[in-house]
Amino acid sequence: MRTPVLLSRGSAPSEIVEAELDGPRPNEVIVRVEAVGVCHTDLVTRQKLGDQPAVLGHEGCGVVERLGTDVGTLAVGDRVVISFGSCGGCGQCRAGQPAYCASAAALNSSGRRADGSATIRVGGEPVFGAFFGQSSFAGAALADARSCVPVGDLAPEVAAPLGCGFLTGAGAVLNALRPGPDDRLLVIGCGGVGAAAVLTALSDGVEVVVVEPVAARRALATRFGATAVAALDDVRGPVTHALDTTGRPELVSRVLGLLEPRGVLAVVGLGPAETTIDVRTLMLRGLQLRGCVEGDAEPSVLVPELVRRHREGRLPLDHLVAAYPLAGFDDAVADQRAGLALKPVLVPSWEAG
């Protein structure tokens, strides 16, 4: 089927072009995209691919339009969030940890299906697609039914970031760190991931301290009930749990130094690969340092839980998003970098043909 897509080429301005989207295989669906979040991973991948034409986007939300012959878990007309791809059959998937799927790279970052087949063509030529199993900067996205989670009548611009960014922040709190009401959580960076973590922890009655240099983001965190400071040096008092969303490894040692004995630090941001850690302090104080991918989440479990909290008024995710037209991708990125938009969400203004 033909659909408009947002085509990226390195640092060149993005453009809307007509593309041919492959039909669904037995386990796949086609989703008419109603909204799609802009994530830091989209920007990093865009740079990494250089001048290779690509259709990115991996926080899609929309309505199921076509079903593969073997899909029995969804129906045409369902509004779904599309999350990351996983095989469903490896040991990690069977253990409820699909973010660590044995086929994660092939399914999410190869630019094609796991078997090497292309999913998107522009001008008859294959382009980098199937990003996180979806490439949802488009009017329609092809995805594995396993990656799609129904969200009912939740507004698509609120639901879309549940596919990755909000899932990561919330899951890091609920699945990896698991602070309780008597604990004190430090969140470094209050972008989309960090803000979702803050709201999730507050919804469980956890005291939260935020480190964020952007004043508008500090004000938002304070409005929701967190303590917000501009720099790590401004943190006062004990910290039992910490989450770093910045991807700045030089902060790891400093944050470990702030933790109470047996404290836990989880890192979710991608940045430079190396830093220096005092292993003796780590051992003698019983500290834990752990990575966390996609919030250690099974999307089919965590997404409904976050939707439930939002409906109850405990998780006001709608205050975190700002909508832009799909063609306004470059404006959305500029506003995000300038601190004018916390979580940009692109809203297509047309339907697939």
Side-chain angles (χ1 to χ4, degrees):
M1 66 179 291
R2 299 196 67 77
T3 181
V5 299
L6 183 75
L7 192 69
S8 298
R9 287 188 178 92
S11 59
S14 301
E15 58 178 330
I16 301 290
V17 301
E18 193 84 355
E20 185 69 28
L21 186 65
D22 213 8
R25 292 185 176 179
N27 61 314
E28 295 174 337
V29 298
I30 288 181
V31 176
R32 174 170 55 84
V33 178
E34 297 179 299
V36 51
V38 177
C39 179
H40 180 66
T41 305
D42 295 308
L43 309 183
V44 170
T45 303
R46 189 185 188 199
Q47 287 187 324
K48 182 179 177 181
L49 292 174
D51 292 331
Q52 182 180 356
V55 180
L56 302 175
H58 64 286
E59 294 182 347
C61 175
V63 175
V64 176
E65 283 203 333
R66 292 175 59 184
L67 300 170
T69 55
D70 291 347
V71 177
T73 55
L74 301 170
V76 171
D78 285 347
R79 175 172 290 156
V80 297
V81 162
I82 314 172
S83 196
F84 58 90
S86 58
C87 73
C90 70
Q92 294 295 335
C93 286
R94 293 196 306 274
Q97 294 291 337
Y100 305 99
C101 173
S103 300
L107 291 169
N108 294 290
S109 58
S110 68
R112 295 175 176 246
R113 291 187 179 95
D115 66 4
S117 60
T119 58
I120 303 175
R121 290 174 174 80
V122 174
E125 295 296 322
V127 300
F128 185 98
F131 187 52
F132 277 67
Q134 57 185 280
S135 284
S136 47
F137 286 164
L142 179 71
D144 193 313
R146 173 177 163 76
S147 302
C148 298
V149 183
V151 292
D153 61 355
L154 184 63
E157 63 271 21
V158 176
L162 292 173
C164 181
F166 290 172
L167 185 84
T168 296
V173 171
L174 296 176
N175 296 328
L177 291 170
R178 300 183 179 183
D182 295 329
D183 293 319
R184 194 166 189 249
L185 170 67
L186 173 65
V187 177
I188 305 165
C190 198
V193 173
V198 169
L199 292 184
T200 302
L202 290 173
S203 74
D204 275 348
V206 177
E207 183 182 354
V208 180
V209 180
V210 174
V211 175
E212 171 55 59
V214 178
R217 293 179 178 178
R218 291 200 303 274
L220 184 69
T222 301
R223 177 153 56 92
F224 288 125
T227 299
V229 297
L232 204 54
D233 289 339
D234 298 326
V235 175
R236 300 289 181 267
V239 174
T240 59
H241 299 73
L243 174 66
D244 177 61
T245 71
T246 68
R248 294 174 54 192
E250 73 274 13
L251 296 179
V252 169
S253 181
R254 294 179 61 193
V255 175
L256 288 174
L258 293 174
L259 287 175
E260 291 286 285
R262 300 179 65 245
V264 186
L265 166 61
V267 293
V268 299
L270 284 175
E274 297 182 359
T275 191
T276 300
I277 296 173
D278 186 338
V279 177
R280 190 167 4 184
T281 297
L282 195 75
M283 186 272 290
L284 291 175
R285 301 182 67 222
L287 303 178
Q288 297 181 55
L289 169 61
R290 57 156 302 173
C292 179
V293 178
E294 297 287 356
D296 281 11
E298 171 57 76
S300 63
V301 175
L302 184 55
V303 170
E305 168 62 16
L306 300 180
V307 171
R308 181 182 67 82
R309 292 187 183 209
H310 176 72
R311 294 190 190 283
E312 293 173 349
R314 299 168 56 200
L315 202 65
L317 299 173
D318 50 307
H319 290 267
L320 308 183
V321 300
Y324 294 78
L326 187 63
F329 171 80
D330 294 320
D331 292 336
V333 172
D335 285 354
Q336 186 181 46
R337 287 173 171 165
L340 302 176
L342 191 146
K343 182 63 178 182
V345 176
L346 306 180
V347 180
S349 57
W350 23 251
E351 295 185 3

